[in-house]
């Protein structure tokens, strides 16, 4: 059971470089999310996709773009990386409104990104 | 503005004793609450949830209590085991908010032998 798979696991970027974080889920979930985790801040929602073909901003979307490539895949792009984007990034998926039916968010294992 | 607060960054408990993790929220629209557990180098995993129509939900060793008037919830783990050592995140959502969760900052639980 793969669940939610994120690549890469680690990445170091220089300021101004770009990169795409990849996420794929094999649970046939409708909704997918990108969170970032910073010390003392908990997890904060960057972008989400309630269903294939839709994306919406979360709490901290600045500096990021997303693509819901198909039902399985949801990528996060940093066009010009900044040191403030140093963080651990988590992708998650769920049934639409799933947590109200005991199908809560399923997370990947994260991508640790450092921007120097 | 932190809408979900976990004021204790860490907690240390002896094996076999009760662990109590606390969470406070400020948004009165929140009506569904969850606890997630996170081990190092892994993503958070769902532990237990509670709807605002209840004040208690139990699953094995884990019980979540909700006090709506105080905007407070707590997670009780009895008995605590060394494998419970992890970071615990409280999360909340509001009707109409889809599956968007607002997370607390987490509490590191250490269960000592």
């Amino acid at each position: 059971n793969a669940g939610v798979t994120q690549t890469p696991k680690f990445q170091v970027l220089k300021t101004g470089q770009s990169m795409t974080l990849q996420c794929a889920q094999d649970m046939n979930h409708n909704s997918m999310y990108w969170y970032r985790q910073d010390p003392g801040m908990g997890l904060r929602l960057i972008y989400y996709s309630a269903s294939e073909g839709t994306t919406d901003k979360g709490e901290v979307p600045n500096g990021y773009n997303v693509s819901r490539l198909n039902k399985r895949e949801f990528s996060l792009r940093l066009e010009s990386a900044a040191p403030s984007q140093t963080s651990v990034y988590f992708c998650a998926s769920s049934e639409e409104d799933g947590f109200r039916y005991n199908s809560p968010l399923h997370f990947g294992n994260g991508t640790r990104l450092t921007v120097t | 503005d932190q809408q979900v607060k976990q004021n204790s960054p860490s907690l240390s408990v002896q094996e076999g004793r009760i662990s109590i993790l606390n969470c406070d929220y400020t948004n009165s629209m929140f009506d569904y609450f969850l606890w997630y557990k996170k081990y190092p180098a892994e993503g958070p995993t769902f532990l237990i949830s509670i709807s605002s129509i209840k004040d208690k939900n139990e699953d094995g060793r884990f019980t979540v209590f909700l006090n709506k008037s105080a905007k407070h919830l707590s997670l009780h783990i009895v008995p605590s085991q060394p494998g419970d050592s992890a970071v615990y995140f409280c999360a909340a959502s509001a009707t109409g908010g889809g599956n968007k969760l607002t997370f607390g900052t987490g509490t590191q639980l250490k269960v000592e032998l």
Side-chain angles (χ1 to χ4, degrees):
Chain A
N1 292 334
V4 179
T5 303
Q6 292 183 237
T7 55
K9 287 185 171 53
F10 301 95
Q11 183 72 48
V12 179
L13 291 178
K14 289 185 165 52
T15 297
Q17 287 185 320
S18 62
M19 79 160 294
T20 300
L21 281 64
Q22 307 286 354
C23 174
Q25 52 92 9
D26 62 3
M27 295 173 283
N28 202 36
H29 284 165
N30 289 319
S31 302
M32 297 186 74
Y33 311 79
W34 278 104
Y35 282 87
R36 60 178 286 175
Q37 184 193 6
D38 302 294
M41 300 291 287
L43 285 90
R44 292 181 292 169
L45 182 65
I46 305 171
Y47 269 94
Y48 68 101
S49 170
S51 60
E52 188 179 355
T54 69
T55 60
D56 284 287
K57 295 178 181 180
E59 183 184 354
V60 288
N62 291 344
Y64 305 95
N65 284 302
V66 291
S67 296
R68 183 74 183 267
L69 303 169
N70 46 57
K71 190 171 185 179
R72 288 187 64 247
E73 298 172 286
F74 189 39
S75 64
L76 179 72
R77 182 159 179 85
L78 287 72
E79 290 292 350
S80 179
S84 61
Q85 294 177 306
T86 293
S87 188
V88 181
Y89 292 85
F90 289 99
C91 178
S93 71
S94 70
E95 292 289 347
E96 194 170 358
D97 286 336
F99 64 79
R100 295 181 183 276
Y101 304 98
N102 282 330
S103 178
L105 297 187
H106 296 259
F107 285 86
N109 284 336
T111 294
R112 186 174 292 274
L113 175 66
T114 301
V115 183
T116 61
Chain B
D1 177 34
Q2 193 73 28
Q3 296 186 64
V4 178
K5 301 176 184 179
Q6 294 177 256
N7 292 319
S8 298
S10 63
L11 175 67
S12 186
V13 171
Q14 281 194 317
E15 183 181 12
R17 305 294 290 269
I18 184 171
S19 295
I20 300 176
L21 295 93
N22 294 305
C23 178
D24 297 293
Y25 62 97
T26 57
N27 187 342
S28 58
M29 300 300 292
F30 288 148
D31 60 358
Y32 201 88
F33 304 89
L34 305 89
W35 285 93
Y36 279 80
K37 175 179 179 179
K38 185 184 179 303
Y39 292 118
E42 294 184 10
T45 54
F46 170 70
L47 191 57
I48 192 169
S49 63
I50 188 166
S51 165
S52 61
I53 62 173
K54 296 184 175 181
D55 55 18
K56 177 182 173 181
N57 190 27
E58 207 168 343
D59 184 1
R61 297 186 297 115
F62 302 91
T63 303
V64 56
F65 296 92
L66 176 61
N67 182 334
K68 288 187 291 293
S69 61
K71 293 193 177 69
H72 177 83
L73 63 156
S74 61
L75 174 69
H76 293 210
I77 306 173
V78 184
S80 301
Q81 299 173 354
D84 296 329
S85 297
V87 177
Y88 289 78
F89 290 99
C90 171
S93 71
T95 298
N99 257 351
K100 288 182 291 180
L101 296 180
T102 301
F103 283 84
T105 52
T107 296
Q108 172 76 60
L109 173 66
K110 183 177 180 182
V111 180
E112 298 172 320
L113 298 173

